[in-house]
C-alpha cells in the first residue's frame, strides 16, 4: 500500500504544469499505462472489479437497447455515480485519490478476467472505450487539456498554409473548416475517413479540431487492444494463484451473461409477509423466472432441488420468515406425507436460512448465477425462461404471465429480438417496463434510472415500490 509519505515525495517530483494535488493520478482520464504496484487486499481487488463491471455491463445493455450516445450518457452517469464515482481535480475532494485508485485497480483486474478469449476482449475494449468517451466528454475542460498535453499523441498541428493548399470549396465541406488541424496517419482515424470528416493527402489525415477527440478515442482503443493481448500471454503464470482465479472466473462469467455478478441494492424484506400472501405477490411482482417456478410448484405440488434452491432463497430475501417459509413449503407439497416432508425437506429449508449445518447466510441467486449455472434439464423448472425456454414456449409463457399487466403479442417481436441477441436480462427489463407502464414507467427507464434487471429480488422490490407509490403508502426503503 502506498503511504502518505510516498505520495508527498512523488508530489515534490512532479513536473511544472502538471496538477500537483493528486500526483499519483493527476487526471481523471487515464490510459492505464502501468498496473497498480502497491499492495491490494483481496477485498479491494474484488470490489473495484465488481463495481466497474456494473458500469461496463450497463454500457453493454445500452448498446443492446440501441440507446443513442446521449441517452447512454444519462443512464451511465447515474450508475457510475453509484458505483464508480470519479470527480475532476477541481472538485477538491479528499477521496479523489481513492476514487482514482479504485478506477485504476478495477480496470486492471478486469483486464485479467477478460483477456482470455477473443470475444471477451472485443467486448471489453468496446465497453471500456465507451466509458472513456463518456468520461472524456464530461471532463473539466482545463483538466482535459492538461491531460492531452501530458501524453504524446503523435499528431502534428498543420500550418495554415498547408491547410490552405488542401482545402478547396469542392473537396471539403466549408462548414467543417477549422482554424486548427491535426495531422496523423490516416490509418489512425478510420472512422473519420469513413465519415469523410478529414482531408486526406499523402497518406496523412488532416483532422479538424472539432474531431480531435476521435484521435484520442482511437488511441485509447488501440492501446488497450495491444495491452490485452500482452496480458493474455502473461496469464498462464497467474493460474497458480488459487485466491485470484475463482474471482476472475466469476467476473468473466458475469460479463458473458452480460451482467455483473451481484445486485448491490438491498431492500428491506416485506414486513409481515406470510405464506398466504405469496400467490398475490407472485401474480403482481415476480419476474418470469420466479413466476415460472411458482406456477410449476402450484401445478406439480413439488419442485426439484435447484428449483427449491432458486425459489427458496428468493422468498427469504423477499421477507418470508423461516416459520412462514416452512408453512409455505409444507402447504405447497400438499400430496406429501408430514413424515417425508419433515425428514427430507425441513432441514434444507432451515439450512438455507442459516439455521443448520455451517449456518451460512446464503444470498439469493442473481441473474448471472441463474443464467450461467445449473442448466435445467427435462422436468426442471429453475433457470431463466428468457434463456432456457424455446422461442415459442417463452412467448406463450410471457403472455400467460403478463397479459393482465399490459403485455401483448405486439410486444413480442421486440422482446424476442433481444433474446435472439442473447441479451436476456435486457428482454426481462423491457417486460418490466411494459408491465409497469400503467404505474408511469417509461421505455428505457428500466428498474429505475435506466438500470437493467440484474437480480430477481431487485425486480420484485422495484415492482412493490411502484405499487406502494401508486397506493400512496409511502416509500419502500431501497438502499444502495
Ligand atoms: Fe429472472 Fe433475471 Fe431471467 Fe429476469 S433476467 S427472468 S430476473 S433470471
Amino acid at each position: 500500500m502506498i503511504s502518505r509519505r510516498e505520495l508527498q515525495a512523488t508530489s515534490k517530483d512532479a513536473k511544472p504544469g502538471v496538477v500537483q494535488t493528486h500526483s499519483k493520478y493527476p487526471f481523471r482520464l487515464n490510459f492505464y499505462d502501468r498496473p497498480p504496484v502497491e499492495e491490494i487486499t483481496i477485498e479491494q481487488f474484488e470490489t473495484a472489479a465488481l463495481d466497474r463491471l456494473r458500469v461496463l455491463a450497463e454500457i453493454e445493455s445500452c448498446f443492446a437497447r440501441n440507446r443513442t450516445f446521449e441517452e447512454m450518457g444519462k443512464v451511465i452517469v447515474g450508475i457510475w455515480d453509484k458505483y464508480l464515482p470519479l470527480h475532476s481535480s477541481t472538485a477538491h475532494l479528499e477521496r479523489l485519490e481513492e476514487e482514482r485508485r479504485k478506477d485504476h485497480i478495477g480496470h486492471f483486474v478486469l483486464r485479467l478476467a477478460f483477456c482470455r478469449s477473443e470475444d471477451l476482449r472485443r467486448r471489453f475494449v468496446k465497453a471500456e472505450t465507451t466509458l472513456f468517451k463518456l468520461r472524456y466528454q464530461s471532463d473539466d475542460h482545463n483538466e482535459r487539456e492538461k491531460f492531452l498535453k501530458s501524453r504524446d499523441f503523435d499528431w502534428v498541428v498543420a500550418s495554415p498554409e498547408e491547410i490552405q493548399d488542401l482545402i478547396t470549396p469542392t473537396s471539403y465541406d466549408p462548414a467543417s473548416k477549422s482554424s486548427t488541424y491535426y495531422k496523423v496517419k490516416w490509418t489512425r482515424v478510420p472512422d473519420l475517413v469513413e465519415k469523410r470528416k478529414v482531408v486526406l493527402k499523402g497518406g496523412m489525415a488532416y483532422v479538424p479540431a472539432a474531431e480531435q477527440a476521435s484521435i484520442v478515442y482511437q488511441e485509447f482503443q488501440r492501446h488497450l487492444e495491444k495491452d490485452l493481448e500482452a496480458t493474455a500471454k502473461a496469464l498462464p503464470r497467474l493460474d497458480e494463484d488459487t485466491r485470484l482465479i475463482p474471482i476472475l472466473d466469476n467476473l468473466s462469467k458475469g460479463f458473458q451473461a452480460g451482467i455483473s455478478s451481484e445486485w448491490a441494492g438491498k431492500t428491506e424484506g416485506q414486513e409481515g409477509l406470510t405464506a398466504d400472501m405469496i400467490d398475490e405477490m407472485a401474480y403482481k411482482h415476480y419476474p418470469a423466472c420466479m413466476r415460472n417456478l411458482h406456477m410449476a410448484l402450484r401445478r406439480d405440488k413439488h419442485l426439484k432441488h435447484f428449483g427449491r434452491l432458486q425459489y427458496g432463497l428468493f422468498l427469504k430475501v423477499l421477507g418470508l420468515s423461516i416459520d412462514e417459509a416452512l408453512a409455505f413449503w409444507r402447504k405447497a407439497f400438499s400430496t406429501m406425507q408430514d413424515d417425508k416432508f419433515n425428514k427430507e425437506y425441513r432441514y434444507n429449508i432451515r439450512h438455507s436460512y442459516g439455521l443448520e449445518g455451517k449456518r451460512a447466510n446464503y444470498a439469493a441467486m442473481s441473474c448471472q448465477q441463474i443464467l450461467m449455472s445449473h442448466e435445467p434439464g427435462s422436468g426442471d423448472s429453475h433457470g431463466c425462461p428468457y434463456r432456457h425456454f424455446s422461442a415459442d414456449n417463452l412467448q406463450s409463457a410471457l403472455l400467460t404471465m403478463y397479459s393482465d399487466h399490459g403485455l401483448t403479442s405486439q410486444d413480442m417481436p421486440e422482446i424476442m429480438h433481444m433474446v435472439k441477441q442473447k441479451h436476456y436480462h435486457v428482454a426481462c427489463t423491457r417486460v418490466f417496463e411494459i408491465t409497469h407502464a400503467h404505474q408511469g414507467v417509461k421505455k428505457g427507464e428500466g428498474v429505475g434510472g435506466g438500470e437493467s434487471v440484474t437480480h430477481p429480488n431487485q425486480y420484485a422490490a422495484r415492482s412493490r415500490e411502484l405499487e406502494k407509490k401508486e397506493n400512496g403508502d409511502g416509500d419502500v426503503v431501497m438502499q444502495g
Side-chain angles (χ1 to χ4, degrees):
M1 192 95 51
I2 195 155
S3 68
R4 181 175 291 275
R5 217 177 159 152
E6 281 170 296
L7 274 177
Q8 283 162 352
T10 333
S11 171
K12 268 186 234 149
D13 299 334
K15 292 192 186 91
V18 170
V19 178
Q20 300 284 318
T21 15
H22 309 285
S23 53
K24 194 162 191 304
Y25 302 107
F27 310 109
R28 178 172 173 261
L29 296 172
N30 195 339
F31 260 54
Y32 309 103
D33 299 305
R34 276 179 290 277
V37 287
E38 68 266 25
E39 276 178 33
I40 299 165
T41 64
I42 290 280
E43 199 191 341
Q44 287 169 336
F45 182 91
E46 195 169 10
T47 312
L50 271 176
D51 284 347
R52 189 178 198 86
L53 187 56
R54 288 193 172 99
V55 178
L56 298 189
E58 206 55 52
I59 289 176
E60 282 220 314
S61 297
C62 287
F63 281 123
R65 304 193 75 175
N66 285 331
R67 285 195 162 114
T68 63
F69 193 71
E70 284 67 36
E71 287 167 346
M72 184 189 300
K74 282 186 200 144
V75 172
I76 300 304
V77 166
I79 311 275
W80 84 36
D81 272 354
K82 224 184 209 179
Y83 300 115
L84 202 62
L86 197 63
H87 290 88
S88 296
S89 303
T90 46
H92 296 299
L93 290 177
E94 267 186 35
R95 58 171 196 274
L96 213 56
E97 181 79 10
E98 197 187 311
E99 283 181 357
R100 292 178 185 189
R101 180 171 178 267
K102 180 179 173 186
D103 176 66
H104 188 208
I105 295 171
H107 172 89
F108 274 94
V109 178
L110 293 191
R111 270 193 194 183
L112 292 175
F114 302 135
C115 66
R116 299 152 168 227
S117 78
E118 177 108 29
D119 179 53
L120 280 176
R121 285 199 290 271
R122 185 186 49 74
R123 287 171 54 190
F124 181 65
V125 167
K126 186 173 175 188
E128 276 284 340
T129 308
T130 308
L131 177 62
F132 180 85
K133 279 187 197 176
L134 289 166
R135 284 175 170 170
Y136 186 93
Q137 296 195 3
S138 62
D139 205 20
D140 172 81
H141 178 75
N142 290 333
E143 191 171 330
R144 187 170 66 196
E145 287 304 305
K146 283 180 186 156
F147 167 75
L148 292 179
K149 280 187 193 142
S150 74
R151 299 187 66 83
D152 180 10
F153 284 95
D154 196 19
W155 56 41
V156 177
V157 178
S159 67
E161 297 74 32
E162 217 173 345
I163 298 303
Q164 207 60 40
D165 281 354
L166 289 165
I167 301 168
T168 67
T170 49
S171 71
Y172 195 62
D173 174 10
S176 18
K177 279 190 181 172
S178 163
S179 54
T180 311
Y181 287 82
Y182 299 92
K183 206 163 70 170
V184 292
K185 269 199 189 136
W186 76 268
T187 46
R188 289 183 53 197
V189 282
D191 55 328
L192 295 181
V193 174
E194 195 187 319
K195 292 184 201 145
R196 301 171 66 85
K197 292 203 167 170
V198 289
V199 186
L200 293 173
K201 192 180 180 199
M204 302 303 278
Y206 289 75
V207 181
E211 305 294 342
Q212 183 198 28
S214 280
I215 312 177
V216 181
Y217 304 154
Q218 286 290 338
E219 191 57 23
F220 180 88
Q221 182 172 332
R222 198 190 55 77
H223 197 268
L224 184 53
E225 281 164 353
K226 210 169 102 231
D227 285 354
L228 274 178
E229 272 170 33
T231 314
K233 282 186 194 137
L235 199 67
R237 271 183 273 148
L238 199 87
D239 276 352
E240 286 151 25
D241 195 320
T242 48
R243 296 160 311 158
L244 302 188
I245 292 302
I247 298 175
L248 296 176
D249 282 346
N250 188 35
L251 290 168
S252 56
K253 264 194 191 161
F255 205 52
Q256 277 161 18
I259 37 189
S260 55
S261 6
E262 280 167 42
W263 169 50
K266 298 270 182 288
T267 54
E268 305 261 307
Q270 179 169 320
E271 252 181 57
L273 185 67
T274 64
D276 293 341
M277 291 155 73
I278 296 298
D279 282 324
E280 191 189 344
M281 192 66 114
Y283 175 73
K284 286 182 173 172
H285 303 302
Y286 277 17
C289 52
M290 298 304 165
R291 190 83 187 269
N292 179 52
L293 280 166
H294 189 74
M295 284 159 62
L297 178 62
R298 290 295 181 236
R299 186 189 59 229
D300 304 336
K301 320 235 175 299
H302 189 257
L303 281 181
K304 286 188 166 179
H305 173 72
F306 285 119
R308 293 198 305 275
L309 189 69
Q310 183 176 319
Y311 193 24
L313 292 171
F314 169 83
L315 286 171
K316 181 175 85 165
V317 175
L318 205 63
L320 205 62
S321 67
I322 177 62
D323 290 340
E324 287 299 324
L326 286 166
F328 171 79
W329 289 105
R330 180 66 206 96
K331 221 168 159 186
F333 291 180
S334 55
T335 52
M336 188 180 286
Q337 297 298 320
D338 268 347
D339 200 29
K340 183 173 166 70
F341 181 84
N342 287 338
K343 259 195 216 141
E344 294 175 25
Y345 297 93
R346 179 177 284 271
Y347 177 89
N348 282 342
I349 298 166
R350 287 178 51 79
H351 190 270
S352 67
Y353 274 73
L355 299 169
E356 302 284 358
K358 59 178 175 170
R359 296 178 184 262
N361 184 18
Y362 297 99
M365 291 166 83
S366 65
C367 294
Q368 184 220 312
Q369 289 167 311
I370 295 172
L371 282 161
M372 302 301 288
S373 49
H374 313 304
E375 180 98 5
S378 71
D380 280 328
S381 308
H382 67 274
C384 170
Y386 297 95
R387 175 164 191 208
H388 298 119
F389 280 19
S390 68
D392 285 349
N393 285 352
L394 175 62
Q395 294 188 66
S396 62
L398 288 176
L399 289 171
T400 308
M401 291 171 187
Y402 298 119
S403 54
D404 287 357
H405 303 267
L407 191 77
T408 69
S409 47
Q410 273 92 56
D411 298 314
M412 286 304 141
E414 184 189 1
I415 310 285
M416 296 315 290
H417 178 71
M418 293 166 175
V419 171
K420 217 170 153 197
Q421 308 287 312
K422 301 190 175 166
H423 297 301
Y424 309 112
H425 72 302
V426 178
C428 182
T429 308
R430 184 69 195 118
V431 168
F432 180 92
E433 289 167 356
I434 296 168
T435 54
H436 293 80
H438 65 285
Q439 287 162 326
V441 176
K442 298 197 180 58
K443 185 171 182 176
E445 220 173 282
V447 283
E451 230 177 297
S452 309
V453 175
T454 55
H455 199 295
N457 284 97
Q458 169 205 31
Y459 184 112
R462 179 67 181 148
S463 177
R464 278 175 43 217
E465 188 188 40
L466 287 165
E467 186 192 40
K468 284 215 164 199
K469 267 195 193 141
E470 190 183 36
N471 296 339
D473 290 353
D475 293 334
V476 172
V477 182
M478 285 198 80
Q479 300 158 351

